[in-house]
């Protein structure tokens, strides 16, 4: 049978192209997913481990082992001296750091102070320019902060080191050098500042204890034995739960701690890899089913010549093994190539030079094994169908699962029950905001929908086909041909249905989540940018709003002037038109004779009127806590701005507040940079500039990146499905060679033949896409309600443009899928086609 299998593969090589592509892409997706997880871990180990690269052992404390009070910095110089006195230890270095605020011009940066190690062997910070500090009031700054603040070697900066509850006084330091940006994710957004050990001790208020320290070992000693020896010394010194690990072991522990002990990224990606593999399985099964049906004569002849059913089944399975192994190997190679390119690109980005590619043997073996096994399983049903071909039934197609046989009825019953159960769980999860229940319900109901697809997919294609069948003979033939083989139509449409449903679900869910969170942010932050006076800069005069508007990235600005005091706090006034331009919710602009008060201004009872400066104003409450008591300029036009409540400063003596609306095109980095630019333009400190811009941009950036990644991943499933559409249409045309040639002989032109085949593909792809859009929209909205319903009221916001684009792409792809098969059919002459067996 091996000879027969190889002969079939060679004979039908062109028909297997789509199968090879589908398996290759699905396998590449799976292998790349495993490589992403492994590479992410390896990159984290390289970045986190950068701080340990010169150490042999790391001594710390196992805080998880404590059940009572946890000690604070137990490793003092006395303990370190005892450890350093061991014959197996060459040197030790305490890990000390402190928080500080670095100031340069109008910019302020939250920083972490580290000291220059006493021994150069422990020096993990790389110097980019200049030299490390060697005397008090000298420091180095990382290159990213230096570039952002315009700091050069030799400049003077300020360093404010908190040592208590009082605001620390800034001290002048000279910059002696610039260091490379730390690759350690634990540094986060902190600026890395290196000072002398004496300066660090001063910052720590003389404290000398640490939670960990590093060790260099003597030549030739065993690290494991030394770790046990050091742990014994630490326990003898009074440390209850010391932990001594090698640098590699400590790095692994840090990575696990940073990721919560589990690789969530790989889990998420594996879900999408599973989707791609499912769609791939549908394409492979469909292709083998059609191939087996086409070779009915050949299989019947083999049975007549004495081939047993086992041999026929073995030959078909061997074909799938050959195709699976070849396609899976190509898929793994494709994954390695793609990941190599991605890692090489990421490594060129600032601060990501630590990115490395990791190709574990497991990703290669799992990719090969799963890809091959999936191909074999997908071909198993067609292989069983092949054994049912009787020698005298050469022209009879195999009977698929339908409502007329036991297999079909069982599938429909199970599918119907799955839809009902899943819908109930989905509804329960949405009403009770339980994402886990909703996920289970969505999964069960979608599986049920796929199982009963034969009930609604062919009729839907037929119904849409009838709408266009009146436009001519080719359209009527296309409508009939699209549902001639309901099983094949269902399998082809199902593959596309899965991809479109998931893509539209993510689009709708992400858009609704963005709208919901935007509303929540608008409630907490009424404006993008707020500027409070810091008490040092010049007061915000009448031109302050114009100066703020002139800043690149600011669209509109308004100046809020304190006009009176009241029992609810200082009342501010502003121009209503300017207010409407900067508020995220313009409906919050108070009308003339109204005062806008936050709910926090009231006790337990909400008042309807308030007296301010002798005027009785209608109270308009708002749940936006960030609001100040606000009126329009016209309402306050006649007030005496010196009106105060006893013991309070005069409003005339209070500084104005600035509100601004920022450009929507800003990203997170742009929003952070805008904060410093505004502070410099108005002469205030960075911390005086607030608002919801950075929070909103961070959320928008995260959700957009997630949407982009997920859409890209699901596009793989859609691509595989479209390969299935093209493959099914191509094989269908091969089956109908004599029929198409007869139509040509009866007068159907080549143009009409191509149009008929194109419309047939568009009907299947379009109907599958429409149903997928409907299902995806429902799943997306219910999923968003389940995930966010317990936080706030979910806003329904459908991305009509993106959904229309998905439909257009599916239809256009179906049209493109018909081009090559249609050209092949049109090139065949009627005489040659009629002579085909």
């Amino acid at each position: 049978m091996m000879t027969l299998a190889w002969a079939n593969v060679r004979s039908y090589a062109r028909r297997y192209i789509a199968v090879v592509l589908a398996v290759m892409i699905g396998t590449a997706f799976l292998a790349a997913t495993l490589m992403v997880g492994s590479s992410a871990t390896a990159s984290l180990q390289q970045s986190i481990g950068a701080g340990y690269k010169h150490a042999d052992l790391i001594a710390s404390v196992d805080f998880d082992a404590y059940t009572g009070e946890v000690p604070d910095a137990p490793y003092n110089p006395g303990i370190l001296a005892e450890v350093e006195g061991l014959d197996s230890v060459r040197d030790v270095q305490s890990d000390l750091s402190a928080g500080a605020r670095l100031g340069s011009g109008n910019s302020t940066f939250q920083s972490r102070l580290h000291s220059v190690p006493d021994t150069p062997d422990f020096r993990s910070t790389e110097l980019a320019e200049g030299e490390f500090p060697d005397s008090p009031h000298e420091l180095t700054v990382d290159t990213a902060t230096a570039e952002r603040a315009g700091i050069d070697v030799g400049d003077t900066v300020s360093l404010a080191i908190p040592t208590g509850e009082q605001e620390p006084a800034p001290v002048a330091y000279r910059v002696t050098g610039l260091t490379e940006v730390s690759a350690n994710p634990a540094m986060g957004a902190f600026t890395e500042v290196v000072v002398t050990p004496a300066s660090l001790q001063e910052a720590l208020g003389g404290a000398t204890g640490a939670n960990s320290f590093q060790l260099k070992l003597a030549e030739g000693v065993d690290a494991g034995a030394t770790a046990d020896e050091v742990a014994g010394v630490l326990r003898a010194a009074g440390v209850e739960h010391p932990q001594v690990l090698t640098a590699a072991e400590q790095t692994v522990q840090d990575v696990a701690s940073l990721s919560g002990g589990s690789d969530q990224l790989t889990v998420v990606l594996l879900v999408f890899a599973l989707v791609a593999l499912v769609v791939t399985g549908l394409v492979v099964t469909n292709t083998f089913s059609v191939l087996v049906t086409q070779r009915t004569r050949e299989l019947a002849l083999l049975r007549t010549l004495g081939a047993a059913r086992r041999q026929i089944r073995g030959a078909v399975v061997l074909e799938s093994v050959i195709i699976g192994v070849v396609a899976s190997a190509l898929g793994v190679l494709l994954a390695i190539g793609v990941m190599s390119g991605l890692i090489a690109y990421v490594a060129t980005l600032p601060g990501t030079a630590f990115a490395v590619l990791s190709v574990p043997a497991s990703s290669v073996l799992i990719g090969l094994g799963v890809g091959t096994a999936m191909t074999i399983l997908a071909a198993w049903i067609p292989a069983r169908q092949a054994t049912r071909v009787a020698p005298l039934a050469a022209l009879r197609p195999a009977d698929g699962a339908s409502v007329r046989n036991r297999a079909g009825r069982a599938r429909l019953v199970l599918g119907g029950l799955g839809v009902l159960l899943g819908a109930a769980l989905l509804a329960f999860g949405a009403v009770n905001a339980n994402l886990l229940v909703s996920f289970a319900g969505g999964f069960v109901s979608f599986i049920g929908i796929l199982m009963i697809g034969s009930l609604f997919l062919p009729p839907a294609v037929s119904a849409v086909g009838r709408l266009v069948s009146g436009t001519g003979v080719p359209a009527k033939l296309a409508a009939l041909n699209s549902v001639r083989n309901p099983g094949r139509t269902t399998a082809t449409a199902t593959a596309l249905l899965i991809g479109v449903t998931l893509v539209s679900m993510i689009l709708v869910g992400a858009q609704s989540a963005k709208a919901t969170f935007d509303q929540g942010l608008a409630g907490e932050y009424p404006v993008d940018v707020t500027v409070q006076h810091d008490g040092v800069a010049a007061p915000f005069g009448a031109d302050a709003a114009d100066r703020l508007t002139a800043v690149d990235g600011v669209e509109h600005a308004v100046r809020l002037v304190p006009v009176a005091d009241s029992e609810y706090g200082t009342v501010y006034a502003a121009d209503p038109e300017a207010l409407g331009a900067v508020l995220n919710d313009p409906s919050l602009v108070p009308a003339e004779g109204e005062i806008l008060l936050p709910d926090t201004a009231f006790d337990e009872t909400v008042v309807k009127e308030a007296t301010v400066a002798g005027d009785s104003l209608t109270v308009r409450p708002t749940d936006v806590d960030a609001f100040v008591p606000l009126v329009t300029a016209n309402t306050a036009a006649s007030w005496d701005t010196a009106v105060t409540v006893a013991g309070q400063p005069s409003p005339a003596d209070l500084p104005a507040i600035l509100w601004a609306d920022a450009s929507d095109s800003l990203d997170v980095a742009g929003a952070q940079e805008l904060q410093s630019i505004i502070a410099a333009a108005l002469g205030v400190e960075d911390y005086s500039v607030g608002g919801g811009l950075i929070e909103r941009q961070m959320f928008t950036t995260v959700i957009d990146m997630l949407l982009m990644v997920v859409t890209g991943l699901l596009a793989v499933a859609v691509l595989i499905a479209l390969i299935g559409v093209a493959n099914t249409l191509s094989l269908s045309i091969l089956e109908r060679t004599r029929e198409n040639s007869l139509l040509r002989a009866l007068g159907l032109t080549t143009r009409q033949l191509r149009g008929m085949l194109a419309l047939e593909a568009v009907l299947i792809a379009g109907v599958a896409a429409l149903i997928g859009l409907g299902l995806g929209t429902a799943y997306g909205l219910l999923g968003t309600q389940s995930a966010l319903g317990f936080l706030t009221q979910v806003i329904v916001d459908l991305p009509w443009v993106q959904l229309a684009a998905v439909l257009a792409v599916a239809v256009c792809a179906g049209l493109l899928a018909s081009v090559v098969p249609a050209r092949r059919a049109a090139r065949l002459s009627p005489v040659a086609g009629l002579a085909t067996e």
Side-chain angles (χ1 to χ4, degrees):
M1 289 296 104
M2 176 63 76
T3 303
L4 178 61
W6 273 112
N8 285 332
V9 170
R10 289 194 300 269
S11 301
Y12 301 104
R14 295 180 64 182
R15 303 183 190 181
Y16 284 125
I17 291 176
V19 176
V20 172
L21 286 175
V23 175
M24 182 175 71
I25 295 175
T27 304
F29 198 178
L30 175 61
T33 295
L34 298 173
M35 292 176 198
V36 165
S38 178
S39 297
T41 301
S43 299
L44 280 175
Q45 288 177 342
Q46 180 154 324
S47 59
I48 294 175
Y52 311 134
K53 61 183 178 182
H54 298 305
D56 296 319
L57 293 177
I58 312 296
S60 59
V61 179
D62 185 6
F63 292 108
D64 294 334
Y66 282 88
T67 56
E69 184 177 354
V70 178
D72 182 26
Y75 296 129
N76 54 51
I79 293 179
L80 266 62
E82 288 189 43
V83 173
E84 192 171 7
L86 296 174
D87 294 337
S88 56
V89 176
R90 180 158 56 93
D91 204 352
V92 298
Q93 177 68 42
S94 178
D95 293 330
L96 292 173
S97 65
R101 284 207 304 270
L102 178 74
S104 176
N106 291 319
S107 300
T108 304
F109 304 93
Q110 296 297 324
S111 308
R112 294 299 301 175
L113 298 185
H114 300 275
S115 66
V116 182
D118 298 328
T119 304
D121 288 346
F122 285 109
R123 193 170 292 169
S124 59
T125 304
E126 301 291 339
L127 195 64
E129 182 181 345
E131 57 187 18
F132 284 108
D134 59 5
S135 31
H137 297 169
E138 290 184 345
L139 55 76
T140 64
V141 181
D142 64 69
T143 54
T145 303
E147 181 179 358
R148 183 177 173 188
I151 299 173
D152 293 319
V153 174
D155 289 353
T156 299
V157 297
S158 66
L159 203 62
I161 304 172
T163 57
E165 296 182 359
Q166 295 182 346
E167 181 69 19
V171 178
Y173 276 72
R174 187 176 70 87
V175 179
T176 62
L178 305 180
T179 58
E180 300 291 349
V181 178
S182 173
N184 191 343
M187 284 296 295
F190 289 108
T191 294
E192 185 174 23
V193 175
V194 178
V195 296
T196 62
S199 296
L200 182 59
Q201 286 297 320
E202 180 184 351
L204 292 170
T208 57
N211 287 324
S212 64
F213 63 93
Q214 301 183 17
L215 301 88
K216 295 284 288 185
L217 303 183
E219 294 290 338
V221 301
D222 180 74
T226 304
D228 294 336
E229 183 182 11
V230 171
V233 171
L234 297 178
R235 277 190 289 269
V239 181
E240 291 187 33
H241 300 287
Q243 179 176 264
V244 184
L245 303 174
T246 65
E249 292 170 342
Q250 185 66 51
T251 301
V252 171
Q253 186 180 84
D254 289 351
V255 171
S257 174
L258 188 66
S259 62
S262 60
D263 194 348
Q264 299 296 332
L265 175 62
T266 301
V267 173
V268 173
L269 293 177
L270 282 173
V271 173
F272 297 110
L274 178 62
V275 172
L277 290 174
V278 169
V279 179
T280 300
L282 289 171
V283 173
V284 174
T285 301
N286 193 33
T287 302
F288 271 101
S289 295
V290 175
L291 286 175
V292 170
T293 302
Q294 286 182 316
R295 289 154 49 191
T296 300
R297 290 174 179 267
E298 172 191 326
L299 298 175
L301 179 60
L302 291 173
R303 292 290 308 283
T304 303
L305 295 175
R309 289 187 176 185
R310 178 178 54 81
Q311 292 176 307
I312 298 294
R313 184 171 58 247
V316 177
V317 171
L318 276 176
E319 291 178 38
S320 66
V321 171
I322 295 170
I323 294 171
V325 170
V326 173
S328 299
L330 292 175
V332 171
L333 292 176
L334 176 63
I336 295 174
V338 171
M339 286 298 300
S340 299
L342 288 176
I343 293 295
Y345 169 72
V346 170
T348 63
L349 300 178
T352 57
F354 56 85
V356 294
L357 173 64
S358 174
V359 184
S362 59
S363 64
V364 176
L365 295 177
I366 291 176
L368 289 172
V370 172
T372 303
M374 177 199 61
T375 309
I376 295 173
L377 289 175
W380 181 255
I381 294 178
R384 289 187 61 195
Q385 291 176 351
T387 63
R388 296 174 183 169
V389 179
L392 299 180
L395 298 178
R396 185 178 65 198
D399 185 22
S402 69
V403 293
R404 297 183 180 86
N405 59 37
R406 181 179 301 176
R409 287 192 294 270
R411 188 175 66 182
L412 295 178
V413 170
L414 291 175
L417 292 175
V419 171
L420 294 176
L421 176 61
L425 292 174
L426 192 58
F428 178 84
V431 172
N432 294 278
N434 190 317
L435 183 59
L436 184 61
V437 174
S438 287
F439 177 81
F443 181 79
V444 172
S445 63
F446 192 52
I447 295 298
I449 289 172
L450 297 182
M451 293 180 70
I452 64 173
S454 58
L455 284 181
F456 62 86
L457 285 172
V461 174
S462 178
V464 176
R466 283 195 296 271
L467 297 177
V468 299
S469 61
T471 58
V473 173
K476 181 175 293 187
L477 290 172
L480 294 173
N481 288 333
S482 62
V483 293
R484 172 178 292 182
N485 190 326
R488 190 188 310 149
T489 300
T490 301
T492 303
T494 297
L496 189 58
L497 175 67
I498 293 174
V500 174
T501 298
L502 293 172
V503 169
S504 56
M505 178 185 69
I506 295 298
L507 289 173
V508 171
Q511 185 72 15
S512 296
K514 285 175 63 177
T516 301
F517 275 97
D518 280 345
Q519 185 189 53
L521 288 174
E524 188 171 351
Y525 299 99
V527 292
D528 290 341
V529 178
T530 63
V531 186
Q532 303 280 350
H533 199 270
D534 59 4
V536 178
F540 295 148
D543 65 336
D546 294 332
R547 288 160 53 201
L548 184 54
T549 307
V551 174
D552 188 22
V554 175
E555 299 290 337
H556 309 91
V558 62
R559 178 169 170 259
L560 279 63
V561 182
V563 290
D565 212 332
S566 72
E567 59 181 307
Y568 306 110
T570 303
V571 179
Y572 289 80
D575 177 70
E577 185 176 345
L579 268 177
V582 300
L583 286 173
N584 290 325
D585 184 1
S587 66
L588 292 174
V589 177
E592 191 168 342
E594 284 186 340
I595 180 171
L596 194 69
L597 292 178
D599 289 342
T600 53
F602 309 108
D603 294 328
E604 295 183 358
T605 59
V606 178
V607 297
K608 296 184 177 180
E609 290 188 353
T611 301
V612 180
D615 280 356
S616 180
L617 304 177
T618 301
V619 172
R620 184 176 174 190
T622 174
D623 57 1
V624 181
D625 296 340
F627 257 117
V628 294
L630 187 64
V631 298
T632 63
N634 292 335
T635 300
S638 61
W639 293 355
D640 180 2
T641 58
V643 176
T644 66
V645 174
Q648 299 295 326
S650 167
D653 298 331
L654 296 176
I657 299 173
L658 298 177
W659 285 357
D661 173 41
S663 172
D664 292 335
S665 61
L666 290 174
D667 55 12
V668 175
Q672 292 174 334
E673 185 177 1
L674 180 64
Q675 183 181 25
S676 299
I677 294 174
I678 290 176
L682 298 175
V684 297
E685 293 290 340
D686 280 17
Y687 62 79
S688 299
V689 183
L693 175 64
I694 294 179
E695 287 80 2
R696 188 188 71 186
Q697 293 305 118
M698 286 182 66
F699 170 77
T700 301
T701 300
V702 169
I703 201 74
D704 285 345
M705 289 184 64
L706 178 63
L707 182 62
M708 179 180 66
V709 171
V710 170
T711 304
L713 296 177
L714 292 176
V716 176
V718 177
L719 174 62
I720 297 173
L722 293 176
I723 292 174
V725 173
N727 189 43
T728 299
L729 186 62
S730 178
L731 296 174
S732 177
I733 290 172
L734 288 173
E735 277 189 318
R736 299 182 344 232
T737 299
R738 291 170 60 84
E739 175 188 325
N740 292 336
S741 298
L742 179 60
L743 292 173
R744 291 283 312 284
L746 294 176
L748 194 71
T749 65
T750 56
R751 181 178 180 182
Q752 289 176 317
L753 178 61
R754 285 196 296 266
M756 177 189 74
L757 298 174
L759 184 57
E760 184 179 338
V762 168
L763 281 174
I764 297 175
V767 169
L770 283 172
I771 296 175
L773 289 175
L775 290 173
T777 299
Y779 283 132
L781 293 177
L782 292 172
T784 306
Q785 174 63 33
S786 303
L788 305 178
F790 71 98
L791 292 174
T792 182
Q793 181 181 357
V794 174
I795 305 299
V796 177
D797 188 7
L798 300 182
W800 296 106
V801 175
Q802 291 93 325
L803 293 178
V806 172
L807 177 61
V809 167
V811 172
C812 291
L815 183 62
L816 291 174
S818 70
V819 172
V820 175
R823 288 184 59 189
R824 186 182 302 122
R827 284 201 304 264
L828 186 64
S829 67
V831 175
L834 288 171
T836 302
E837 288 293 333

